[in-house]
Amino acid sequence: MKYYPMTDDVKKFSNNQRFAYNVVVNLYTCKDEKDDYINKNVRIGSNEKLSEEELIQSATNVVNGLIDSKEEFKHYDLVKIVGITFAGAYDRHLK
């Protein structure tokens, strides 16, 4: 994974952590036999560099929490993660 210097926008959500990651999680949804797909942008911050597996697990945990708690998902018959894309990796120490 290639790391980039943190922009001001990324610094805002990184909570002063050294590394910040943007991940796009693709969800399959079904309601009354109608299929749809939703993309959720997930931001992960860490003081340690995360492996791809750790990043996938963190993003999955965040999205599963959203699915369990957010009202927008309660009306679906089925919601499942079908894809994860790494959209950006940032290191606060890079200039």
Side-chain angles (χ1 to χ4, degrees):
M1 187 173 328
K2 184 172 180 176
Y3 288 81
Y4 296 93
M6 275 193 195
T7 63
D8 289 338
D9 288 340
V10 174
K11 286 178 183 177
K12 286 179 188 176
F13 77 79
S14 70
N15 296 324
N16 292 322
Q17 293 175 316
R18 177 171 176 190
F19 299 99
Y21 302 90
N22 289 341
V23 182
V24 178
V25 180
N26 184 250
L27 302 172
Y28 164 79
T29 62
C30 183
K31 179 178 168 79
D32 300 328
E33 297 184 20
K34 292 183 182 177
D35 300 337
D36 196 11
Y37 291 89
I38 299 170
N39 287 327
K40 285 291 181 188
N41 295 318
V42 177
R43 296 174 175 159
I44 308 290
S46 175
N47 283 318
E48 297 179 20
K49 193 179 279 191
L50 299 178
S51 69
E52 289 183 7
E53 292 81 18
E54 291 170 317
L55 194 52
I56 289 168
Q57 186 61 56
S58 292
T60 300
N61 291 345
V62 168
V63 171
N64 280 331
L66 291 175
I67 292 168
D68 291 341
S69 65
K70 295 293 183 180
E71 196 63 36
E72 69 180 292
F73 294 109
K74 299 225 185 277
H75 68 276
Y76 290 110
D77 299 326
L78 175 67
V79 179
K80 66 180 181 177
I81 296 172
V82 293
I84 295 178
T85 302
F86 303 127
Y90 303 91
D91 183 343
R92 186 178 293 277
H93 293 171
L94 290 178
K95 300 290 179 201

